[in-house]
Amino acid sequence: MKLRALVAALAALFALQSGVATAATNTSRTSGKTAAVAKKAAAKPAAKPVAKPKAVAAKAANKSVAAKKAAAKSATKGKVASKAQPTKKAAAKVNVKTRTATASARGKAAPMRVTLRKAAPAALAVAPASLLADEADEALALDASGMPVLGSSAFYVINQNTGEVLLERNAAAVLPIASITKLMTAMVVLESGQRLSEPLEITEGDIDRLKGTGSRLSLGTTLTREDMLHLALMSSENRAASALARNYPGGEAAFVEAMNVKARLLGLWNTRFHDSTGLNPGNVSSPRDLAKLVAASASFPLIREFSTSPERYVDINGRMLRFGNTNSLVRSPEWAISVSKTGYISEAGRCLVMQTWLHQQPVVMVLMDSYGRYTRTADAKRVRKWLEQTATQRVAAAPARIGG
């Protein structure tokens, strides 16, 4: 028994010693591994941990270079733009100088002529396009202030008895007047005292070499001064108006001088004449001046008769030719027109002046620089309708007057 106990004690002691040895071996292995890892970590170069910051720095440097290049490009564009801007400014200066020079050149010849066609009135902006087209419709449209929208760039409507201005726009603008000139031509002829029965012949001197317009009064046509005057006023015959001036005492130059003298006597300070036909765009006036011219023309019975005749048949070299009035309104029973004259050249646009009667009152209408074929007559209808709707009380308030 004692032997068995001794063997068990020896076995236990041997097991204890074996456990201690194993633990020591494991401890030495762990420390060896740790040392190996440490050696490997120590063996790595010290520059590798700094590699990432260098890459970041390199990328940042590349971005900086790209930014500098972009800035350089934008600066180059800025320089080009800055160079272009002075060029535009220089061009603007040249335009201003050119306009100034043109204005000064015009200013030398009084009165100064202006054009209103490009600077469209604000009222036209609110009008439907159909109302201002080439049509005879007199549809009435009103602007924000209650005034009729017209296709004429300048107009002037006045009660001749009272002097009250019923409607106006650009009344002082100096514009070419085209064949409205013939009203002054007629007054000078009638005041000259020349025989109306005297025959006048159409010659080479009456051919239009300025605008190249034609005429049914062929070379050699002979008509009385009265017939020439009739055709000039009713049908706006340019050769007839030219023959009237050419057969004036002193010739055409003296006739034109008489026209300008008459204009001064009537107080037409913005009016100038260079010929008797109106083909010369230097014949200019203002709507306000033309209203005075119409009123003065109304005092001549023959001007009232000839300018409002619907038509006339004239013997031209053995053939009866019909000549009609250039103003279609004289044939309308709705209108009572005492004086009428139309005009057209490209510089003047289409013009119309009239003395008409509303509520037994003489109303003078001046419509200038209208661009459409029928716009001037349509404008006259719109003005009449507007007066009947909104200004009847003012027109009718004046005392009635019978006569021209």
Side-chain angles (χ1 to χ4, degrees):
M1 290 297 292
K2 290 182 180 180
L3 182 59
R4 289 180 180 178
L6 180 62
V7 171
L10 288 173
L13 180 62
F14 178 77
L16 179 63
Q17 288 179 353
S18 297
V20 172
T22 302
T25 302
N26 292 338
T27 302
S28 63
R29 287 179 183 176
T30 304
S31 61
K33 289 181 180 180
T34 304
V37 172
K39 284 181 181 181
K40 288 182 181 180
K44 288 182 180 179
K48 285 186 178 179
V50 190
K52 288 185 179 179
K54 280 188 178 179
V56 173
K59 289 182 181 180
N62 291 336
K63 289 183 180 179
S64 176
V65 172
K68 287 181 180 180
K69 289 182 180 180
K73 287 183 181 179
S74 62
T76 304
K77 290 182 181 179
K79 287 180 181 178
V80 173
S82 63
K83 287 181 181 178
Q85 287 177 355
T87 303
K88 291 182 180 179
K89 290 181 180 178
K93 288 182 180 178
V94 171
N95 290 337
V96 171
K97 288 181 180 178
T98 304
R99 291 176 183 172
T100 305
T102 304
S104 62
R106 288 182 177 177
K108 292 180 181 178
M112 183 177 66
R113 185 178 68 193
V114 300
T115 179
L116 303 172
R117 229 169 297 174
K118 291 184 179 179
L124 295 180
V126 301
S130 60
L131 298 182
L132 302 178
D134 286 354
E135 57 182 20
D137 184 23
E138 69 276 12
L140 183 61
L142 303 179
D143 61 16
S145 59
M147 309 297 279
V149 178
L150 305 181
S152 303
S153 66
F155 49 81
Y156 189 69
V157 182
I158 185 173
N159 184 324
Q160 186 178 327
N161 269 1
T162 65
E164 180 184 5
V165 178
L166 304 174
L167 189 66
E168 68 174 328
R169 182 170 72 208
N170 299 320
V174 180
L175 303 167
I177 61 175
S179 288
I180 307 300
T181 297
K182 294 181 175 75
L183 288 178
M184 180 61 79
T185 299
M187 283 196 288
V188 171
V189 168
L190 293 174
E191 288 184 342
S192 70
Q194 295 176 285
R195 289 189 302 112
L196 294 179
S197 59
E198 179 183 353
L200 306 180
E201 182 183 357
I202 300 297
T203 68
E204 289 280 350
D206 302 319
I207 296 178
D208 172 24
R209 304 189 188 281
L210 181 62
K211 297 288 186 180
T213 58
S215 172
R216 290 190 292 166
L217 301 181
S218 58
L219 293 178
T221 299
T222 301
L223 298 174
T224 65
R225 180 175 280 106
E226 180 176 341
D227 284 341
M228 294 285 192
L229 182 61
H230 198 155
L231 295 182
L233 288 173
M234 180 185 69
S235 298
S236 207
E237 266 292 342
N238 292 314
R239 291 184 183 179
S242 175
L244 291 170
R246 189 171 45 78
N247 288 276
Y248 184 81
E252 185 178 1
F255 189 89
V256 173
E257 178 63 25
M259 295 172 73
N260 286 306
V261 169
K262 181 65 174 178
R264 301 290 84 73
L265 293 175
L266 293 176
L268 311 183
W269 306 114
N270 291 319
T271 303
R272 293 289 186 277
F273 296 104
H274 293 274
D275 72 359
S276 61
T277 64
L279 292 170
N280 191 322
N283 288 11
V284 297
S285 187
S286 65
R288 191 174 286 117
D289 273 9
L290 289 185
K292 296 178 183 179
L293 178 62
V294 172
S297 300
S299 64
F300 292 82
L302 279 182
I303 294 180
R304 295 200 304 268
E305 177 186 345
F306 291 168
S307 69
T308 59
S309 299
E311 63 181 7
R312 180 178 175 85
Y313 286 86
V314 181
D315 185 355
I316 306 295
N317 299 325
R319 294 178 57 194
M320 295 300 293
L321 298 183
R322 177 192 176 276
F323 291 81
N325 200 305
T326 54
N327 181 9
S328 61
L329 296 180
V330 301
R331 294 186 286 272
S332 172
E334 298 179 359
W335 287 81
I337 301 174
S338 300
V339 175
S340 168
K341 191 68 197 79
T342 63
Y344 172 76
I345 56 174
S346 57
E347 295 87 348
R350 299 186 183 275
C351 307
L352 172 64
V353 298
M354 294 190 302
Q355 183 202 64
T356 185
W357 290 78
L358 294 175
H359 297 281
Q360 298 184 344
Q361 293 295 308
V363 175
V364 175
M365 296 184 186
V366 178
L367 304 166
M368 299 183 68
D369 193 20
S370 176
Y371 58 85
R373 182 180 179 186
Y374 301 110
T375 308
R376 59 189 175 187
T377 54
D379 278 353
K381 294 177 181 179
R382 294 182 188 110
V383 170
R384 183 173 183 262
K385 180 177 291 187
W386 179 78
L387 289 174
E388 290 175 343
Q389 291 180 0
T390 64
T392 301
Q393 64 277 12
R394 290 187 294 173
V395 177
R401 190 185 76 179
I402 306 299

